[in-house]
Amino acid sequence: ASGEPYLASDWTAAIQIDLRAQFGGVRYGRFYRPTFALVESGDKRVIVRINDVGPLRPGRVIDLNERSMRYFDPSLHTGLLHDAKITLLPGDDWTPGPVGDEQASSLASAD
């Protein structure tokens, strides 16, 4: 949707097509504007850039790329996060990747 090539090494994800408007449209080309989400599962939190939309499998809301999924499941054995919480982050100045102490205060003020 954004026109970016898929890179397994980035911190990116696709969202269910029905959520496109909620996540700011996920536009491409000259209308592109980055959209970010916080994904939490267990004690791990990661910020991903939403750069695609699609008709995901029934019951799925987000499809993490390889790097993002390996953060939660290093062997990719499970392949699913059953207890994931996804929060849209306002603005476009987020740094994708695992959330450390330096970003925790920014996240708290975004809620």
Side-chain angles (χ1 to χ4, degrees):
S2 69
E4 297 176 13
Y6 173 82
L7 293 174
S9 61
D10 283 352
W11 298 97
T12 60
I15 54 160
Q16 180 60 260
I17 200 163
D18 297 343
L19 299 174
R20 185 180 204 140
Q22 181 182 339
F23 277 79
V26 189
R27 299 172 186 96
Y28 63 92
R30 66 184 179 114
F31 299 109
Y32 177 70
R33 187 185 76 211
T35 302
F36 297 90
L38 173 66
V39 180
E40 301 174 84
S41 181
D43 62 346
K44 294 184 175 183
R45 301 186 304 172
V46 66
I47 294 174
V48 294
R49 189 175 71 255
I50 305 299
N51 68 344
D52 201 2
V53 297
L56 307 180
R57 289 185 179 172
R60 291 191 184 178
V61 175
I62 194 167
D63 187 7
L64 301 174
N65 79 329
E66 184 176 340
R67 183 177 192 182
S68 302
M69 189 62 202
R70 280 191 189 277
Y71 177 69
F72 294 105
D73 181 13
S75 68
L76 295 181
H77 180 71
T78 306
L80 294 172
L81 301 176
H82 295 285
D83 61 344
K85 178 183 174 189
I86 300 138
T87 306
L88 175 64
L89 297 173
D92 59 5
D93 59 346
W94 297 97
T95 302
V99 175
D101 293 337
E102 67 280 354
Q103 287 183 315
S105 61
S106 296
L107 289 170
S109 64
D111 287 341

